[in-house]
Amino acid sequence: MYICICNALREKDLRATARCHAGDAETLYNRLGCRPQCRQCLEDADQIVAEERSAVPA
Ligand code: FES
């Protein structure tokens, strides 16, 4: 499933990046080689990042 239509960014790729790297969704987008454009996805993306990190044992 796509989390960001503007960048054709998949949720699974955002989740995988969130497990390995610090920062908010926008920072992770940059790591994935994209930049927010319309920004409509960022709230959901930040929620996915937080959800993914809370699921990983410290
Ligand atoms: S849907 Fe992600 S920047 Fe537009």
Side-chain angles (χ1 to χ4, degrees), residues 3-7 9 29 35-42:
I3 181 64
C4 176
I5 301 302
C6 292
N7 289 291
L9 180 61
Y29 278 29
R35 305 169 83 180
Q37 295 173 42
C38 75
R39 306 183 74 85
Q40 290 187 4
C41 59
L42 286 179

Side-chain angles (χ1 to χ4, degrees), residues 13-31:
D13 295 329
L14 180 62
R15 287 184 183 277
T17 305
R19 287 195 296 272
C20 302
H21 301 284
D24 62 5
E26 191 164 349
T27 301
L28 298 180
Y29 278 29
N30 291 337
R31 279 206 165 267

